Amino acid sequence: MGRRPGPRAAIDAGGLVVVMKVKVDSEKCQGHNRCYAMAPGMFKVDELGYATPRGDGTLTPDKMALAQKAVDNCPERAIEIVDE
Amino acid sequence: MPEVKDWTTDYDIFDPSYKKDPFPIWDEIRGQCPVAHSERWGGSFMPTRYEDLFNIARDITNFSSRNVLVTDFEAPPEGAVYEEPTQEDLAQYNVGAPPITSDPPVHTWARKLLLPPFSVTSVSKYEQETRELCAELVDGFIKNGHADGAADYAQQIPSRVIASMLGIPKEKAGEFTEWVRGFLELGLTDPVLRQESAINIFKYLNEQIQEHKANPGHDDLITYLLNAEVDGEPVPEGHVLGTCFLILVAGIDTTWSSIGSAIWHLAQHPEDRARLINEPELIDSAVEELLRAYSPVTMARYVANDTEYAGCPMSEGSKVLMNFPAANRDPSVFENPDKVILDREKNPHIAFGVGIHRCAGSNLARMEMKVSIQEWLKRIPEYHLENPDAVTWAGGQVRGPRLMPVAW
């Protein structure tokens, strides 16, 4: 498995603000609940265990490490950090 | 069985050395021939790399779950005497164990039916009761200064929690354990014992289901399944029976094995005990790490079509041993995989499988592991294996200690 890129700063080199979001691919999620446990408050799970980000998934810089932890511990590779 | 000389072409998952210490064997296979094959026990393939397990588990078209046990056999062991099952029993109880033995489309609704009572929230209702049970077990032997961490503790926990969830008498817990071992552990190499154990479980659960039908209104899993509807229709009773069978069989010796392995590890690692006592917030990641390092369950898949994986031709009807425990020791995914690191940062372990058959009881298993470790350490913070050589291991498809004398 290749190394995944780590979280990037919320401000890019040109000084533009980049909004980072955490996303869950609902096709891949199988309800392991790992993200729910690893990153308290960042995700919600339904009664089948399927996860979605709370709110619109926007990550403040202080939440980046926690989101990366959710990415690193998801057995289904269903979580991504994306910039929009 | 003749001695295994080459683990890549002739492995035997029931070999005593494999049961006791499979880790170097997996490393050898992973390094030399990552998808091994053996003719023993009806023949099977055995992937050992994380990526291969990940891919095969998710390829439900070629790798079916219609048969999740690895052994195929004809003759009972020599000298065995058993009661013959009647044709009626065989017909009545030929219901499988949905959804673990189902493929879509049945799997899809059967899983949706089963998951809500095993959600994090549903399972948390049983936490206090589990805590009291663990405390009571330890209080029963703590004055002796020694106990069997497997037989007196780990083994006693899941059978009672599952009985409580299903809504069946906990007094039968000892019998469930025997039946489940007969089906899943000892029965894997003894087909008649396996069948006899299955029929015992089915008969007992069937009685319980009839009793629940006659006395509705309980807040338990049997009542939930009997009242459930799928597309406006009640769930067929045979399906309820099969699902209850799955809950009992899959929820007992798997979790007990994990609890036992955790107690075994901590007996030999005072530094990890100290961490858990001084940094109680580590418990959740510690549970995940112990699940990774000592994953109990190796499932099987049935090759549904002639296919090829990683250059390995696999013909329809072959078995694939889903060696999730070996995947979880793969150094290409886990740094320093043989070391237990309670706060491991990157731990995408697949002890509960991966893909649509992710263990439905995973939240329950985690809760039981967490509570059983906490309650043990609260009362017995210092302990050790009385005699490391006296520890016996069950292996095959569910690995964990069965006898484990510890002292304090």
Side-chain angles (χ1 to χ4, degrees), chain A residues 1 3-4 27-28 30-34 36-38 45-50 65 68-69 71-77, chain B residues 50-51 54 58 111-112 115-116 119-120 285 288 332-333 344-350 353-356 358 362-363 366:
Chain A
M1 219 166 47
R3 218 181 134 73
R4 297 190 203 91
E27 295 288 308
K28 289 183 181 168
Q30 293 294 345
H32 290 255
N33 287 285
R34 295 290 304 279
Y36 181 73
M38 279 277 164
V45 291
D46 67 12
E47 62 169 5
L48 304 178
Y50 297 118
Q68 187 60 40
K69 209 169 170 185
V71 172
D72 288 342
N73 285 275
C74 175
E76 306 285 349
R77 305 175 196 168
Chain B
Y50 185 98
E51 203 60 22
F54 184 86
R58 289 159 46 96
R111 183 169 177 80
K112 221 170 154 182
L115 286 178
S119 71
V120 172
S285 72
E288 300 302 334
S332 72
V333 176
R344 186 179 284 275
E345 284 279 318
K346 290 189 180 186
N347 186 5
H349 73 77
I350 49 176
V354 65
I356 67 165
R358 185 269 298 173
S362 56
N363 298 314
R366 289 191 175 106

Coordinates of all heavy atoms in Angstrom, one line a residue, chain A residues 1 3-4 27-28 30-34 36-38 45-50 65 68-69 71-77, chain B residues 50-51 54 58 111-112 115-116 119-120 285 288 332-333 344-350 353-356 358 362-363 366:
Chain A
M1 N 0.8 -1.2 0.0 CA 0.0 0.0 0.0 C 0.9 1.2 0.0 O 1.8 1.3 0.8 CB -0.9 0.0 1.2 CG -2.3 0.5 1.0 SD -3.4 0.1 2.3 CE -2.6 0.6 3.7
R3 N 2.1 5.2 0.3 CA 1.9 6.2 1.4 C 0.9 7.2 0.9 O 0.9 7.7 -0.2 CB 3.2 6.8 1.7 CG 3.4 7.1 3.2 CD 4.7 7.8 3.4 NE 4.5 9.0 4.3 CZ 4.3 8.8 5.6 NH1 4.2 7.6 6.1 NH2 4.1 9.9 6.4
R4 N -0.1 7.4 1.8 CA -1.1 8.4 1.4 C -0.6 9.8 1.7 O 0.2 10.0 2.7 CB -2.4 8.2 2.2 CG -3.1 6.9 1.8 CD -4.5 6.9 2.5 NE -4.9 5.5 2.7 CZ -4.7 4.8 3.8 NH1 -4.0 5.3 4.7 NH2 -5.1 3.6 3.9
E27 N -20.5 4.2 -0.7 CA -20.4 2.9 -1.4 C -19.4 2.0 -0.7 O -19.5 0.8 -0.7 CB -20.0 3.1 -2.9 CG -21.0 3.9 -3.7 CD -22.3 3.0 -4.0 OE1 -22.1 1.9 -4.4 OE2 -23.4 3.5 -3.7
K28 N -18.4 2.6 -0.2 CA -17.3 1.8 0.4 C -17.5 1.6 1.9 O -17.2 0.5 2.4 CB -16.0 2.6 0.3 CG -15.5 2.6 -1.1 CD -14.1 3.3 -1.2 CE -13.6 3.3 -2.6 NZ -12.4 4.2 -2.7
Q30 N -18.7 0.3 5.3 CA -19.4 -0.9 5.7 C -19.8 -0.9 7.2 O -20.1 -1.9 7.8 CB -18.6 -2.2 5.4 CG -18.4 -2.4 4.0 CD -19.7 -2.8 3.2 OE1 -20.7 -3.1 3.8 NE2 -19.6 -2.8 1.9
G31 N -19.7 0.3 7.8 CA -20.2 0.5 9.2 C -19.3 -0.1 10.2 O -19.8 -0.6 11.2
H32 N -18.0 0.0 10.0 CA -17.1 -0.5 11.1 C -17.1 0.4 12.3 O -16.6 -0.1 13.4 CB -15.6 -0.5 10.5 CG -15.4 -1.6 9.5 ND1 -14.7 -2.7 9.8 CD2 -15.7 -1.7 8.2 CE1 -14.6 -3.5 8.7 NE2 -15.2 -2.9 7.7
N33 N -17.5 1.6 12.2 CA -17.6 2.6 13.3 C -16.2 3.0 13.8 O -16.1 3.6 14.9 CB -18.3 2.0 14.5 CG -19.8 1.9 14.3 OD1 -20.5 2.9 14.4 ND2 -20.3 0.7 14.0
R34 N -15.1 2.7 13.0 CA -13.8 3.1 13.5 C -13.7 4.6 13.5 O -13.1 5.2 14.5 CB -12.7 2.5 12.6 CG -12.6 1.0 12.6 CD -12.1 0.4 13.9 NE -10.8 0.9 14.3 CZ -9.7 0.5 13.7 NH1 -9.6 -0.5 12.9 NH2 -8.5 1.0 14.1
Y36 N -15.9 6.9 13.9 CA -16.8 7.4 14.9 C -16.1 7.4 16.3 O -16.2 8.3 17.1 CB -18.1 6.5 14.9 CG -19.1 6.9 15.9 CD1 -19.9 8.1 15.8 CD2 -19.4 6.1 17.1 CE1 -20.9 8.4 16.7 CE2 -20.3 6.5 18.0 CZ -21.1 7.6 17.8 OH -22.1 8.0 18.7
A37 N -15.4 6.3 16.5 CA -14.6 6.1 17.8 C -13.3 6.9 17.8 O -12.9 7.5 18.8 CB -14.3 4.6 18.0
M38 N -12.6 6.9 16.6 CA -11.3 7.5 16.5 C -11.4 9.1 16.6 O -10.4 9.7 17.1 CB -10.7 7.2 15.2 CG -10.1 5.8 15.2 SD -8.4 6.0 15.9 CE -8.1 4.3 16.3
V45 N -23.1 8.2 12.9 CA -23.3 6.9 12.2 C -24.8 6.6 12.4 O -25.4 7.0 13.4 CB -22.5 5.7 12.9 CG1 -21.1 5.8 12.5 CG2 -22.7 5.6 14.4
D46 N -25.4 5.9 11.4 CA -26.8 5.5 11.5 C -26.9 4.2 12.2 O -25.9 3.6 12.7 CB -27.5 5.6 10.1 CG -27.0 4.5 9.2 OD1 -26.2 3.6 9.7 OD2 -27.3 4.5 8.0
E47 N -28.1 3.7 12.3 CA -28.3 2.4 13.1 C -27.7 1.2 12.5 O -27.5 0.2 13.1 CB -29.8 2.2 13.4 CG -30.6 2.0 12.2 CD -32.0 1.5 12.5 OE1 -32.4 1.4 13.7 OE2 -32.7 1.2 11.6
L48 N -27.3 1.3 11.2 CA -26.6 0.2 10.5 C -25.1 0.4 10.6 O -24.3 -0.4 10.2 CB -27.0 0.1 9.0 CG -28.5 0.0 8.8 CD1 -28.8 -0.1 7.3 CD2 -29.0 -1.3 9.4
G49 N -24.7 1.6 11.2 CA -23.2 1.8 11.4 C -22.6 2.7 10.3 O -21.4 3.0 10.3
Y50 N -23.4 3.0 9.3 CA -22.8 3.8 8.2 C -22.5 5.2 8.6 O -23.4 5.8 9.2 CB -23.7 3.7 6.9 CG -23.9 2.3 6.4 CD1 -25.1 1.7 6.4 CD2 -22.8 1.6 6.0 CE1 -25.3 0.4 5.9 CE2 -22.9 0.3 5.5 CZ -24.2 -0.3 5.5 OH -24.3 -1.6 5.1
A65 N -5.5 16.7 12.0 CA -4.8 15.5 12.4 C -5.8 14.4 12.8 O -5.6 13.2 12.5 CB -3.9 15.8 13.6
Q68 N -7.2 12.9 9.7 CA -6.2 12.0 9.1 C -6.2 10.7 9.8 O -6.0 9.6 9.2 CB -4.8 12.7 9.1 CG -3.7 11.9 8.4 CD -4.1 11.7 6.9 OE1 -4.6 12.6 6.2 NE2 -3.8 10.5 6.3
K69 N -6.4 10.7 11.1 CA -6.4 9.5 11.9 C -7.6 8.6 11.4 O -7.5 7.4 11.3 CB -6.6 9.8 13.4 CG -6.0 8.8 14.3 CD -5.8 9.3 15.7 CE -5.4 8.0 16.5 NZ -5.4 8.3 17.9
V71 N -8.9 8.7 8.5 CA -8.5 8.1 7.2 C -7.7 6.9 7.4 O -7.9 5.8 6.8 CB -7.8 9.2 6.3 CG1 -7.2 8.6 5.1 CG2 -8.7 10.4 6.0
D72 N -6.7 7.0 8.2 CA -5.7 6.0 8.4 C -6.2 4.7 9.0 O -5.6 3.7 9.0 CB -4.5 6.5 9.3 CG -3.7 7.5 8.6 OD1 -3.7 7.6 7.3 OD2 -2.9 8.2 9.3
N73 N -7.3 4.8 9.7 CA -7.8 3.7 10.4 C -9.1 3.0 9.8 O -9.6 2.1 10.3 CB -8.1 4.0 11.9 CG -6.8 4.2 12.7 OD1 -6.3 3.2 13.2 ND2 -6.3 5.4 12.7
C74 N -9.5 3.6 8.7 CA -10.7 3.0 8.1 C -10.3 1.8 7.3 O -9.6 1.9 6.3 CB -11.4 4.1 7.1 SG -12.8 3.3 6.2
P75 N -10.8 0.6 7.6 CA -10.5 -0.6 6.9 C -11.0 -0.6 5.5 O -10.5 -1.4 4.7 CB -11.1 -1.7 7.7 CG -11.6 -1.1 8.9 CD -11.8 0.3 8.7
E76 N -12.0 0.2 5.2 CA -12.6 0.1 3.8 C -12.0 1.2 2.9 O -12.5 1.3 1.8 CB -14.1 0.3 3.9 CG -14.8 -0.7 4.9 CD -14.9 -2.1 4.3 OE1 -14.6 -2.3 3.1 OE2 -15.2 -3.0 5.0
R77 N -11.1 2.0 3.4 CA -10.5 3.1 2.6 C -11.7 4.0 2.1 O -11.7 4.5 1.0 CB -9.7 2.6 1.5 CG -8.6 1.7 2.0 CD -7.8 1.1 0.9 NE -7.1 -0.1 1.4 CZ -6.5 -1.0 0.7 NH1 -6.5 -0.9 -0.7 NH2 -5.8 -2.0 1.2
Chain B
Y50 N -2.1 -8.4 3.2 CA -3.3 -7.6 3.5 C -4.1 -7.2 2.2 O -5.3 -7.4 2.2 CB -2.8 -6.3 4.2 CG -3.9 -5.3 4.6 CD1 -4.3 -5.3 6.0 CD2 -4.5 -4.4 3.8 CE1 -5.2 -4.4 6.4 CE2 -5.4 -3.5 4.2 CZ -5.8 -3.5 5.6 OH -6.8 -2.6 6.0
E51 N -3.3 -6.8 1.2 CA -4.0 -6.4 0.0 C -4.8 -7.5 -0.6 O -5.9 -7.3 -1.2 CB -2.9 -5.9 -1.0 CG -3.4 -4.9 -2.0 CD -4.0 -3.6 -1.5 OE1 -3.7 -3.2 -0.4 OE2 -4.7 -3.0 -2.2
F54 N -8.0 -8.0 1.4 CA -8.8 -6.9 1.1 C -9.6 -7.1 -0.2 O -10.8 -6.9 -0.3 CB -8.0 -5.6 1.0 CG -8.7 -4.3 0.9 CD1 -9.3 -3.7 2.0 CD2 -8.9 -3.8 -0.4 CE1 -10.0 -2.5 1.8 CE2 -9.6 -2.6 -0.6 CZ -10.2 -1.9 0.5
R58 N -13.7 -8.4 -0.9 CA -14.6 -7.5 -1.6 C -15.2 -8.0 -2.9 O -16.1 -7.4 -3.5 CB -14.0 -6.1 -1.7 CG -13.9 -5.4 -0.3 CD -12.8 -4.3 -0.3 NE -12.9 -3.5 -1.5 CZ -13.5 -2.3 -1.6 NH1 -14.1 -1.8 -0.5 NH2 -13.5 -1.6 -2.7
R111 N -28.9 -8.5 6.4 CA -27.9 -7.7 7.2 C -28.6 -6.5 7.8 O -28.3 -6.1 8.9 CB -26.8 -7.4 6.3 CG -25.6 -6.6 7.0 CD -24.5 -6.5 6.1 NE -23.4 -5.8 6.6 CZ -22.5 -6.3 7.5 NH1 -22.6 -7.5 7.9 NH2 -21.6 -5.5 8.0
K112 N -29.4 -5.9 7.0 CA -30.1 -4.7 7.4 C -31.0 -5.0 8.6 O -31.2 -4.2 9.5 CB -31.0 -4.2 6.3 CG -31.0 -2.7 6.1 CD -31.7 -2.3 4.8 CE -32.2 -0.9 4.9 NZ -32.9 -0.5 3.7
L115 N -28.3 -5.7 11.8 CA -27.3 -4.6 12.3 C -27.9 -3.7 13.4 O -27.2 -3.5 14.4 CB -26.8 -3.8 11.1 CG -25.7 -4.5 10.3 CD1 -25.3 -3.5 9.1 CD2 -24.5 -4.9 11.0
P116 N -29.1 -3.2 13.3 CA -29.6 -2.3 14.4 C -29.4 -2.8 15.8 O -28.9 -2.0 16.6 CB -31.0 -2.0 14.0 CG -31.1 -2.2 12.5 CD -30.2 -3.4 12.2
S119 N -25.8 -2.1 16.9 CA -25.2 -0.8 16.8 C -24.5 -0.4 18.1 O -24.8 -1.0 19.1 CB -26.3 0.2 16.4 OG -27.1 0.5 17.6
V120 N -23.6 0.6 18.0 CA -22.9 1.1 19.2 C -23.9 1.4 20.3 O -23.8 1.0 21.5 CB -22.1 2.3 18.8 CG1 -21.5 2.9 20.1 CG2 -21.0 1.9 17.9
S285 N -8.1 2.4 21.7 CA -7.1 2.0 20.7 C -6.4 0.8 21.1 O -5.9 0.0 20.3 CB -6.1 3.2 20.4 OG -5.3 3.4 21.5
E288 N -8.3 -2.1 19.8 CA -8.1 -2.3 18.3 C -6.8 -2.9 18.1 O -6.6 -3.8 17.2 CB -8.2 -0.9 17.6 CG -9.5 -0.2 17.7 CD -10.7 -1.0 17.2 OE1 -10.6 -1.8 16.4 OE2 -11.8 -0.7 17.8
S332 N 3.9 -4.6 5.2 CA 3.7 -3.5 4.2 C 2.6 -2.6 4.6 O 2.5 -1.5 4.0 CB 3.5 -4.1 2.8 OG 2.2 -4.7 2.7
V333 N 1.8 -2.9 5.6 CA 0.7 -2.1 6.0 C 0.9 -1.6 7.5 O 0.6 -0.5 7.8 CB -0.7 -2.8 5.9 CG1 -1.8 -1.9 6.5 CG2 -0.9 -3.2 4.5
R344 N -1.2 2.7 18.7 CA -0.8 2.7 17.3 C -1.6 3.7 16.5 O -2.9 3.7 16.6 CB -1.0 1.3 16.7 CG -0.5 1.1 15.3 CD -0.7 -0.4 14.9 NE 0.3 -1.3 15.4 CZ 1.5 -1.6 14.9 NH1 1.8 -1.0 13.8 NH2 2.3 -2.4 15.5
E345 N -1.0 4.5 15.7 CA -1.7 5.6 15.0 C -2.4 5.1 13.8 O -3.5 5.5 13.5 CB -0.7 6.7 14.6 CG -0.2 7.6 15.7 CD -1.2 8.7 16.0 OE1 -1.8 9.3 15.1 OE2 -1.4 8.9 17.2
K346 N -1.7 4.2 13.0 CA -2.3 3.7 11.8 C -2.7 2.3 11.9 O -1.8 1.4 12.0 CB -1.4 3.9 10.6 CG -1.1 5.3 10.2 CD -0.3 5.4 8.9 CE -0.1 6.8 8.5 NZ 0.5 7.0 7.2
N347 N -4.0 2.0 12.1 CA -4.3 0.6 12.4 C -5.6 0.3 11.6 O -6.7 0.1 12.2 CB -4.5 0.5 13.9 CG -4.8 -1.0 14.3 OD1 -4.8 -1.9 13.4 ND2 -5.1 -1.2 15.5
P348 N -5.5 0.2 10.3 CA -6.8 -0.2 9.5 C -6.9 -1.7 9.5 O -7.1 -2.4 8.5 CB -6.5 0.3 8.1 CG -5.0 0.2 8.0 CD -4.4 0.4 9.4
H349 N -6.9 -2.4 10.7 CA -6.9 -3.8 10.8 C -8.3 -4.4 10.3 O -9.3 -3.7 10.2 CB -6.7 -4.3 12.2 CG -7.9 -4.1 13.1 ND1 -9.0 -4.9 13.1 CD2 -8.1 -3.2 14.1 CE1 -9.9 -4.4 14.0 NE2 -9.3 -3.4 14.6
I350 N -8.2 -5.6 9.8 CA -9.4 -6.2 9.3 C -9.8 -7.5 10.1 O -10.2 -8.5 9.5 CB -9.3 -6.5 7.7 CG1 -8.0 -7.2 7.4 CG2 -9.4 -5.2 7.0 CD1 -7.9 -7.6 5.9
G353 N -13.1 -8.6 9.4 CA -13.3 -8.7 7.9 C -13.4 -7.3 7.3 O -13.2 -6.3 7.9
V354 N -13.7 -7.3 6.0 CA -13.8 -6.1 5.2 C -14.8 -6.4 4.1 O -15.0 -7.5 3.8 CB -12.4 -5.8 4.7 CG1 -11.8 -6.8 3.7 CG2 -12.3 -4.4 4.1
G355 N -15.5 -5.3 3.7 CA -16.5 -5.6 2.7 C -17.9 -5.9 3.3 O -18.1 -5.6 4.5
I356 N -18.8 -6.4 2.5 CA -20.2 -6.5 2.9 C -20.4 -7.5 4.1 O -21.4 -7.4 4.8 CB -21.1 -6.9 1.8 CG1 -20.9 -8.3 1.3 CG2 -21.1 -5.9 0.7 CD1 -22.0 -8.8 0.4
R358 N -18.5 -7.6 6.8 CA -17.9 -7.1 8.0 C -18.8 -7.6 9.2 O -20.0 -7.6 9.2 CB -18.0 -5.5 8.0 CG -17.4 -4.8 9.2 CD -18.3 -4.5 10.4 NE -19.4 -3.7 10.1 CZ -20.4 -3.4 10.9 NH1 -20.4 -3.9 12.1 NH2 -21.4 -2.6 10.6
S362 N -19.4 -6.7 15.7 CA -18.1 -6.1 16.0 C -18.2 -5.1 17.2 O -17.3 -5.0 18.1 CB -17.4 -5.4 14.8 OG -18.3 -4.4 14.3
N363 N -19.3 -4.3 17.2 CA -19.4 -3.4 18.4 C -19.6 -4.1 19.7 O -19.2 -3.6 20.7 CB -20.6 -2.4 18.1 CG -20.4 -1.6 16.8 OD1 -19.4 -1.1 16.6 ND2 -21.5 -1.6 16.0
R366 N -16.2 -5.5 20.8 CA -15.3 -4.4 21.3 C -15.7 -4.1 22.7 O -14.9 -3.9 23.6 CB -15.5 -3.2 20.5 CG -14.8 -3.3 19.1 CD -14.8 -1.9 18.5 NE -14.0 -2.0 17.3 CZ -14.6 -1.9 16.1 NH1 -15.9 -1.8 15.9 NH2 -13.9 -2.0 15.0

